[in-house]
Amino acid sequence: MRVVWQLLAVVLVSMVAGQSVAAAEDDPWATLGLGLVASVLSVYVYAWVVGRTEKRAVTEVARKGAVGAVGRGVLIGTLVFAAVVANIAFVGHYEVDGWGSYTGAVGLAGFMAGASVTEELLFRGVLFRAMEERFGTWGALVPTSVLFGAWHLANPDASLWGAAVIALSAGPMLGAAYVASRSLWLPIGLHFGWNFAASGIFSTEVSGNDTQQGLLSASTSGPTLISGGAFGPEASLYTLVFCALVTVGLLWLARRRGRLTLRRSKRADAAALAR
């Protein structure tokens, strides 16, 4: 039942936060403020419900080291997306026409903050942890990545191909970020850095969301496999390649730190042999 209560709490606060931010979409500064408030509130609700249902200190959202972890995640997410866009531009399918809207970027920062936090609390904080406890790291990484990809099918310009690429790229990468750090702050920062770079900086579509313009006035064109089409660069093969490289690096780090876990039955067998 604890997972049910956690899901209900996170989904409820996500819905309230999403509606609040959407209601202020015409005012970028209000969107920024509401997005940040929604992010903080979501973390507090998550910490409260997990602490109550699991009767433990909720270390995955501990304040200590949070700023540094979020900052590292933002840097990684921004650089990885920049690499994707640079490669699309290199083959002539991303062009910058000039400056876009700085106020648009402000509003997108708030919107993406709220979305990144609530999605990470739901997928890595609740679902991944619950599955990993029973099925181990690998047994949790695959289904949560698939669910994360399917989650994006509800977006206005969603496509099966785009959802599949997210399931194969962003899902594993964000799951690996959690495993390597055993903190939700790193995947939250990575998620935000990726989304804000895509929308607020490079002005591309984000997961088929019909995203408004950010800092640059730019456009993508060409085959979906290269540019991502209406879904945005997240559906590009370049996204698959660069996210896979980051995922491998994070999983290597997790393995080196001894943070990969076995499924429950294997852990029990290992404990029995150790006695």
Side-chain angles (χ1 to χ4, degrees), residues 142-226:
V142 174
T144 53
S145 295
V146 172
L147 288 171
F148 188 61
W151 175 267
H152 293 81
L153 285 172
N155 294 341
D157 293 317
S159 67
L160 284 174
W161 169 250
V165 174
I166 284 182
L168 292 169
S169 58
M173 180 174 68
L174 293 166
Y178 168 70
V179 176
S181 62
R182 289 298 166 184
S183 165
L184 289 172
W185 296 121
L186 182 64
I188 283 172
L190 203 167
H191 197 152
F192 173 78
W194 174 278
N195 281 2
F196 182 70
S199 58
I201 298 175
F202 295 105
S203 299
T204 65
E205 284 295 329
V206 179
S207 309
N209 260 315
D210 193 23
T211 315
Q212 67 190 64
Q213 191 176 70
L215 286 175
L216 299 175
S217 175
S219 60
T220 56
S221 61
T224 298
L225 292 179
I226 301 298

Side-chain angles (χ1 to χ4, degrees), residues 15-27 30-39 107 110-115:
M15 291 173 60
V16 172
Q19 290 299 318
S20 301
V21 173
E25 63 181 351
D26 294 330
D27 185 336
T31 302
L32 175 63
L34 286 171
L36 294 176
V37 169
S39 300
F111 179 83
M112 294 306 174

Side-chain angles (χ1 to χ4, degrees), residues 135 144 249 265:
F135 304 112
T144 53
S265 60

